[in-house]
């Protein structure tokens, strides 16, 4: 089997086509269509927007406007595991910056990238996670880690890589 990912891509576009058969000429269904599209791809690819435009009879510029308006939709591929790191004041003064550095290093993120090449992780800074008393705080998916140190980061990341059966990258 080809390892370039094209086979998977084709299957996803086939699934998109099939889903869109249920929404022909229904621009009022744009939100559920985008939700289902994101369910298929993990994000909303530009090529999918064109297909949705054709099926729903809705200009692609309007679809793009909807996608960018709602925070639930993403135009870029995201990792299976979403790491939210707090950049709020309490976390910052208690070493959040060093924790961030350890995560960036542990994931091998270079040149400002926020998603790993294997699509295992996406790193997202947030203003406050609402757990300032536990600063510095990160969340991975629905799990919260408070009062963490940079030294703990490799083991935490390894836990999620092991869950997926992936290769553990240790800094
Ligand atoms: S400042 Fe980090 S959780 Fe509030």
């Amino acid at each position: 089997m080809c390892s370039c990912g094209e086979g998977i891509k084709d299957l996803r576009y086939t699934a998109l086509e099939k889903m869109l058969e249920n929404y022909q000429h229904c621009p009022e269904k744009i939100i559920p269509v985008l939700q289902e599209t994101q369910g298929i791809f993990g994000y909303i690819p530009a090529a999918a927007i064109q297909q949705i435009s054709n099926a729903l009879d809705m200009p692609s510029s309007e679809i793009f406007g909807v996608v960018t308006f709602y925070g639930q939709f993403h135009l870029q591929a995201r990792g299976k595991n979403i790491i939210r790191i707090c950049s709020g004041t309490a976390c910052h003064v208690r070493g959040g910056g060093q924790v961030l550095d350890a995560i960036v290093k542990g994931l091998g993120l270079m040149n400002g990238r926020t998603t790993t090449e294997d699509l295992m992780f996406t790193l997202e800074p947030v203003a406050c996670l609402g757990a300032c008393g536990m600063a510095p705080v990160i969340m991975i998916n629905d799990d919260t880690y408070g009062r963490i140190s940079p030294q703990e980061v490799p083991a935490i990341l390894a836990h999620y890589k092991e869950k997926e059966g992936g290769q553990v990258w240790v800094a």
Side-chain angles (χ1 to χ4, degrees), residues 94-161:
R94 292 190 189 161
Q98 289 94 316
V99 173
L100 173 63
D101 290 345
I103 294 171
V104 168
K105 188 176 175 190
L107 296 180
L109 293 171
M110 312 275 267
N111 304 321
R113 281 186 65 114
T114 55
T115 297
T116 56
E117 280 184 21
D118 61 3
L119 296 180
M120 284 285 292
F121 294 95
T122 290
L123 178 60
E124 291 183 346
V126 295
C128 178
L129 286 166
C132 313
M134 293 168 36
V137 184
I138 67 168
M139 283 187 76
I140 303 183
N141 306 326
D142 293 326
D143 304 329
T144 303
Y145 296 89
R147 296 191 185 95
I148 65 164
S149 67
Q151 292 74 23
E152 293 172 284
V153 166
I156 292 170
L157 296 179
H159 171 70
Y160 291 89
K161 291 202 170 191

